[in-house]
Amino acid sequence: MDKGRFAVPAAVTDWATALGVAALLLVTGLSGPHPAGGRELLGATLLVTGGLALAARRRAPLVVLAAAGLCAVGYLGTGFEVLAVSYLVAVFGAVRAGYRAVTLAASLGLLAVLHLTALVFHDGSAREVVAQARNTLEIAWLIAAFAAGEAVRQAERRADDAERTREETARRRADEERLRIARELHDALTHQISVVKVQSEVAVHVARRRGEQVPEALLAIQEAGREASRELRATLEALRDDDTTPPHGLDHIPNLVNRFRTEGLETTLTIEGRPQAVPAGVGRTAYRIVQESLTNVARHAAASTVSVLIDCRSDTLAIHVDDDGKATSHPALTPGLGLRGMQERVAALGGRLRTEPRSAGGFTVQAELPMNGAS
């Protein structure tokens, strides 16, 4: 309700309301019949205090409700017969915050206390005493403030429900679109890529059995078919992911490393610090960085060993993946799609990523992810 493009900050609105109510109470009290001397000063102070307390009605609605009620009792006892506008605003805020039962009980108690205060501190008949208490807190105004607070609370709840419904609808439509794209890609590309892959592998196999030299173009087609098949499968898996399975995080990195180790890549993993304290979003990004790094090493680096270091610091998660492959020392290495994906993930968390050849040979991927990244 306070998120419009040109909305005034809530704190400014609260203070403006508090100052306005305090000024209204003070002017009304001093312009009508009121005591003199010390009782006048005390009553005026209570009038202003009750109004200024409204500045905290969003943060502590029940405390403000109690403060406004006590101030109303106090300035009635000193001789000011002023409508408790500050208490009515406090009732509105407390009911809007959901404290209906407490507000109702406090209001009934305040009505009784106001009558007792008028009876003790003021002279006159019972009718005059009741009139003095009514001048401080009219039941009709109290009911109106209660109803207004409840109406606004219901409206805000409906707005929140509508926003959640819109988000759920948009998410469902996005999931349906992803599945549709996945089906389209599967139907349009999978068969053709499979045919190219199978035919090229058969041709390479036949040529080798005959003892013929396999043309470089045919080997390139074979490798391109395998790569396209892997990339398509990964793309389809990403499109079909509907977030129903637990996301991968730091706990899954040991299994990831073991999988590459069984495929013939000598891989070591070192985890330092407290992995259980890592936010979920940071853990997911760390897993994807290690996964993409090891995949690049296995496909392109011709490396024999690779080391993975995960350092869980107090405010940062550091990741180092180093290999002894055939990367050159040329500084202008053009990143591929995998490295670009890493950069986007790290940037989304406000972290840093460095990918470059090592001076001792091979390639290094170094990332630093802040622990306050997205969850």
Side-chain angles (χ1 to χ4, degrees):
M1 299 297 288
D2 301 317
K3 297 179 181 179
R5 184 177 177 182
F6 301 105
V8 179
V12 175
T13 303
D14 292 344
W15 273 107
T17 302
L19 292 172
V21 171
L24 174 65
L25 290 174
L26 183 62
V27 171
T28 303
L30 295 179
S31 61
H34 61 277
R39 296 179 65 187
E40 178 186 19
L41 178 60
L42 176 60
T45 301
L46 291 173
L47 287 169
V48 173
T49 301
L52 295 180
L54 296 175
R57 73 182 190 277
R58 295 178 194 267
R59 298 188 301 273
L62 294 182
V63 174
V64 172
L65 185 72
L70 291 175
C71 288
V73 172
Y75 65 68
L76 175 62
T78 60
F80 284 88
E81 298 180 17
V82 180
L83 179 65
V85 178
S86 58
Y87 185 79
L88 295 175
V89 177
V91 167
F92 170 83
V95 175
R96 180 183 181 184
Y99 300 104
R100 292 172 293 181
V102 176
T103 304
L104 179 60
S107 299
L108 293 176
L110 179 61
L111 287 172
V113 172
L114 287 175
H115 283 80
L116 290 175
T117 302
L119 183 63
V120 172
F121 290 95
H122 297 276
D123 299 327
S125 64
R127 179 177 296 180
E128 293 175 344
V129 169
V130 171
Q132 291 168 348
R134 185 182 301 164
N135 289 337
T136 304
L137 187 60
E138 279 277 2
I139 295 180
W141 284 107
L142 183 61
I143 294 175
F146 196 100
E150 179 64 13
V152 172
R153 189 184 74 85
Q154 293 288 348
E156 290 177 340
R157 189 179 69 175
R158 287 193 297 270
D160 292 340
D161 292 342
E163 182 66 23
R164 282 193 296 269
T165 301
R166 284 194 295 269
E167 292 175 356
E168 292 171 358
T169 301
R171 190 180 301 112
R172 184 176 64 253
R173 289 177 178 172
D175 292 340
E176 293 172 353
E177 182 65 14
R178 284 205 311 269
L179 292 176
R180 187 190 67 80
I181 294 173
R183 286 194 296 268
E184 292 290 341
L185 285 174
H186 183 274
D187 295 341
L189 299 178
T190 301
H191 176 70
Q192 287 81 355
I193 292 177
S194 298
V195 170
V196 173
K197 180 173 175 290
V198 171
Q199 293 292 340
S200 62
E201 290 180 349
V202 169
V204 170
H205 177 71
V206 171
R208 285 174 176 168
R209 288 198 61 180
R210 292 176 178 176
E212 301 173 356
Q213 183 177 1
V214 182
E216 291 294 330
L218 187 57
L219 291 175
I221 293 173
Q222 181 190 39
E223 180 59 28
R226 291 175 177 174
E227 183 71 15
S229 180
R230 285 194 294 264
E231 294 295 339
L232 180 60
R233 185 166 55 250
T235 301
L236 292 177
E237 289 176 356
L239 287 172
R240 288 169 176 160
D241 182 16
D242 58 357
D243 296 331
T244 58
T245 57
H248 289 154
L250 284 186
D251 294 340
H252 299 87
I253 290 181
N255 292 334
L256 176 66
V257 171
N258 288 334
R259 187 167 73 246
F260 279 89
R261 188 178 294 139
T262 58
E263 295 177 1
L265 184 63
E266 184 179 341
T267 309
T268 59
L269 172 65
T270 303
I271 299 181
E272 301 176 353
R274 300 174 55 214
Q276 68 274 14
V278 176
V282 176
R284 286 195 298 269
T285 301
Y287 179 89
R288 294 303 183 189
I289 291 174
V290 175
Q291 181 187 45
E292 187 63 36
S293 300
L294 294 179
T295 300
N296 288 340
V297 171
R299 292 181 184 176
H300 310 299
S304 59
T305 63
V306 59
S307 63
V308 180
L309 171 64
I310 309 292
D311 186 7
C312 303
R313 304 166 188 167
S314 60
D315 57 350
T316 306
L317 179 70
I319 305 166
H320 286 218
V321 182
D322 300 325
D323 67 75
D324 63 351
K326 296 181 179 179
T328 66
S329 58
H330 195 283
L333 185 68
T334 302
L337 292 177
L339 297 182
R340 189 177 301 121
M342 285 191 221
Q343 291 171 343
E344 292 173 355
R345 289 178 180 273
V346 173
L349 296 177
R352 295 192 300 270
L353 177 70
R354 189 174 70 180
T355 57
E356 61 186 9
R358 301 168 59 202
S359 58
F363 199 80
T364 182
V365 176
Q366 301 178 14
E368 292 186 358
L369 308 177
M371 286 296 192
N372 61 351
S375 58

